[in-house]
């Protein structure tokens, strides 16, 4: 699958590592394709990844992944151009600038705002609920960490669920895009446990079920 990842930071680089390992083709859509940061993200990926402008990256992609800071997401989408017919996976969290909480919630979500900024695209929320390092190396846990996926396009949802599996997660369909209103606070819980509660970043959420005899 041809995947454009908008942003080559922590999340973009981590997902690129996971997906190139699963033989997907990755192109980072970035403002500066030859910046030191972009080249550092490309270095471990070999020949299955490259970098381009946001619009060039999106043009040939089946799936477009948003891995930008929340405040930059609308501008990045505008620079990317038309997303009509694309699967868009929104990994962002609409964090307040001081990281104290979510700037959007309860009656809307970042995912739903993204859908409004990407008319004609099939928007899904996923890869926002755990730390970037877990996205690069999900298989190092004793149980597969969970990745909830929500979105309204039921026909295209299996594509995103499979990308979560390809990255080593237990992929769980959480419902319609509106469920981003729950998945974004779940990310806040992960951040709260990691930092104020001092668990550190080396943990992930998993879904466990009783043993059936
Ligand atoms: N870090 C995590 O563990 C984690 C986990 C789950 C979800 N998230 C969410 O994922 C998103 C990305 O987080 P991150 O930690 O990967 O951020 P990051 O390391 O700061 O990377 C952000 C990327 O976005 C690019 N960018 C910034 N402004 C842009 C613009 N106007 N147009 C296009 N590209 C732009 C940056 O490029 P430049 O180098 O050009 O600035 C950089 O490549 C955030 O919304 C965050 O809340 C993060």
């Amino acid at each position: 699958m041809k995947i454009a990842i908008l942003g080559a930071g922590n999340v973009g680089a981590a997902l690129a590592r996971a997906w190139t390992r699963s033989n997907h083709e990755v192109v980072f859509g970035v403002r500066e394709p030859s910046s030191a940061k972009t080249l550092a993200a490309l270095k471990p990926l070999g020949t299955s990844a490259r970098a381009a402008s946001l619009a060039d990256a999106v043009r040939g992609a089946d799936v477009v992944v948003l891995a930008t800071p929340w405040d930059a997401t609308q501008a990045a989408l505008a620079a990317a151009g038309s997303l009509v017919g694309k699967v868009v996976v929104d990994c962002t969290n609409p964090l307040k600038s001081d990281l104290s909480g979510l700037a959007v919630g309860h009656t809307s979500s970042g995912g739903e705002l993204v859908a409004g900024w990407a008319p004609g695209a099939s928007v899904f929320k996923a890869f926002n609920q755990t730390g970037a390092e877990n996205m690069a190396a999900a298989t190092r846990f004793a149980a597969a960490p969970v990745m909830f996926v929500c979105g309204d396009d039921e026909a295209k949802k299996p594509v995103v669920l499979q990308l979560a599996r390809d990255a080593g997660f237990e992929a769980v369909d959480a419902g319609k895009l509106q469920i981003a209103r729950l998945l974004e606070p779940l990310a806040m819980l992960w951040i709260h446990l990691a930092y104020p509660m001092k668990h550190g970043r080396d943990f992930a959420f998993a879904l466990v079920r009783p043993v059936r005899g």
Side-chain angles (χ1 to χ4, degrees):
M1 188 151 282
K2 291 184 178 169
I3 306 171
I5 303 182
L6 307 190
N10 299 307
V11 170
L15 288 172
R17 289 189 85 135
W19 288 331
T20 51
R21 272 200 303 268
S22 300
N23 296 321
H24 294 294
E25 206 179 299
V26 167
V27 53
F28 288 117
V30 287
R31 294 181 290 188
E32 290 184 59
S34 48
S35 73
K37 192 168 164 183
T38 305
L39 295 178
L42 282 171
K43 202 172 173 192
L45 305 178
T47 53
S48 35
R50 64 188 176 89
S53 71
L54 289 115
D56 282 349
V58 160
R59 212 163 284 128
D62 309 304
V63 173
V64 177
V65 174
L66 303 179
T68 47
W70 175 246
D71 289 349
T73 298
Q74 190 173 8
L77 284 168
S82 173
L83 292 165
V84 171
K86 307 273 186 197
V87 168
V88 171
V89 183
D90 172 24
C91 311
T92 69
N93 282 306
L95 299 176
K96 290 182 184 167
S97 50
D98 64 0
L99 309 182
S100 63
L102 295 169
V104 185
H106 297 293
T107 55
S108 188
S109 61
E112 289 162 274
L113 291 178
V114 162
W117 299 334
S122 298
V123 175
F124 297 88
K125 189 99 210 175
F127 303 103
N128 71 307
Q129 314 131 43
T130 197
E133 51 278 75
N134 297 338
M135 301 182 207
T139 52
R140 69 204 161 98
F141 292 96
V146 68
M147 184 55 66
F148 295 110
V149 173
C150 70
D152 294 339
D153 188 335
E154 299 299 340
K156 291 188 176 158
K157 198 179 272 180
V159 171
V160 186
L161 291 165
Q162 187 58 45
L163 286 174
R165 284 184 210 108
D166 290 346
F169 290 95
E170 177 179 3
V172 175
D173 179 359
K176 299 289 183 194
L177 187 61
Q178 203 183 87
I179 298 303
R181 298 176 193 182
L182 304 180
L183 299 189
E184 290 162 9
L186 183 60
M188 269 326 295
L189 176 62
W190 191 92
I191 293 166
H192 176 73
L193 292 171
Y195 293 103
M197 299 312 291
K198 299 186 171 28
H199 285 264
R201 296 180 59 91
D202 206 15
F203 74 96
F205 299 132
L207 207 64
V208 290
R209 299 179 180 83
V211 176
R212 311 228 176 257

